[in-house]
Coordinates of all heavy atoms in Angstrom, one line a residue:
L332 N -20.0 -13.3 -7.0 CA -20.6 -11.9 -6.9 C -21.8 -11.9 -6.0 O -22.0 -10.8 -5.2 CB -21.0 -11.4 -8.3 CG -19.9 -11.0 -9.2 CD1 -20.5 -10.8 -10.6 CD2 -19.2 -9.8 -8.7
A333 N -22.5 -13.0 -5.8 CA -23.6 -13.0 -4.9 C -23.2 -12.7 -3.4 O -24.0 -12.2 -2.6 CB -24.3 -14.4 -5.0
S334 N -21.9 -13.1 -3.1 CA -21.5 -12.9 -1.7 C -20.3 -11.9 -1.6 O -19.7 -11.8 -0.6 CB -21.0 -14.3 -1.2 OG -20.0 -14.8 -1.9
F335 N -20.1 -11.3 -2.7 CA -18.9 -10.3 -2.8 C -19.1 -9.1 -1.9 O -20.0 -8.3 -2.3 CB -18.6 -10.0 -4.2 CG -17.5 -9.1 -4.4 CD1 -16.2 -9.5 -4.0 CD2 -17.6 -7.8 -5.0 CE1 -15.1 -8.6 -4.2 CE2 -16.6 -7.0 -5.2 CZ -15.3 -7.3 -4.8
Q336 N -18.4 -9.0 -0.9 CA -18.4 -7.7 0.0 C -19.8 -7.3 0.3 O -20.1 -6.1 0.2 CB -17.5 -6.7 -0.7 CG -16.1 -7.1 -1.0 CD -15.1 -6.0 -1.1 OE1 -15.5 -4.7 -1.0 NE2 -13.9 -6.3 -1.3
N337 N -20.6 -8.2 0.8 CA -22.0 -8.0 1.1 C -22.1 -7.0 2.3 O -23.1 -6.4 2.6 CB -22.8 -9.2 1.4 CG -23.1 -9.9 0.1 OD1 -23.1 -9.4 -1.0 ND2 -23.4 -11.2 0.2
E338 N -21.0 -6.9 3.1 CA -21.0 -6.0 4.3 C -20.9 -4.6 3.9 O -21.2 -3.7 4.8 CB -19.8 -6.4 5.2 CG -18.4 -6.0 4.6 CD -17.8 -7.0 3.6 OE1 -18.5 -7.9 3.2 OE2 -16.7 -6.8 3.2
K339 N -20.6 -4.2 2.7 CA -20.5 -2.8 2.2 C -21.9 -2.2 2.2 O -22.8 -2.6 1.5 CB -19.8 -2.7 0.8 CG -18.3 -2.7 1.0 CD -17.8 -2.3 -0.4 CE -16.2 -2.3 -0.3 NZ -15.7 -1.3 0.7
D340 N -22.0 -1.0 2.8 CA -23.3 -0.3 2.9 C -23.1 0.9 1.9 O -23.1 2.0 2.3 CB -23.6 0.2 4.3 CG -24.9 0.9 4.3 OD1 -25.8 0.7 3.4 OD2 -25.2 1.7 5.3
D341 N -23.0 0.6 0.6 CA -22.8 1.5 -0.4 C -23.7 1.2 -1.5 O -23.7 0.3 -2.2 CB -21.3 1.3 -0.9 CG -21.0 2.4 -2.0 OD1 -21.9 2.8 -2.7 OD2 -19.8 2.8 -2.1
E342 N -24.8 2.2 -1.6 CA -25.9 1.9 -2.6 C -25.5 1.8 -4.0 O -25.9 0.9 -4.7 CB -26.9 3.0 -2.4 CG -28.2 2.8 -3.1 CD -29.3 3.9 -2.8 OE1 -29.3 4.4 -1.7 OE2 -30.1 4.1 -3.7
Q343 N -24.5 2.6 -4.4 CA -24.0 2.5 -5.8 C -23.3 1.2 -6.1 O -23.5 0.6 -7.1 CB -23.1 3.7 -6.1 CG -22.6 3.7 -7.5 CD -21.7 4.9 -7.9 OE1 -21.7 5.9 -7.1 NE2 -20.9 4.8 -8.9
F344 N -22.5 0.8 -5.2 CA -21.8 -0.5 -5.3 C -22.7 -1.7 -5.4 O -22.6 -2.6 -6.2 CB -20.8 -0.7 -4.2 CG -20.2 -2.1 -4.1 CD1 -19.3 -2.5 -5.0 CD2 -20.6 -2.9 -3.0 CE1 -18.8 -3.8 -4.9 CE2 -20.1 -4.2 -2.9 CZ -19.2 -4.7 -3.9
I345 N -23.8 -1.7 -4.5 CA -24.8 -2.7 -4.5 C -25.5 -2.7 -5.8 O -25.7 -3.8 -6.3 CB -25.8 -2.4 -3.3 CG1 -25.0 -2.7 -2.0 CG2 -27.0 -3.4 -3.4 CD1 -25.8 -2.2 -0.8

Side-chain angles (χ1 to χ4, degrees):
L332 288 171
S334 59
F335 179 62
Q336 301 202 3
N337 286 340
E338 71 281 2
K339 276 195 181 295
D340 185 20
D341 180 331
E342 191 172 328
Q343 182 177 340
F344 169 70
I345 293 167

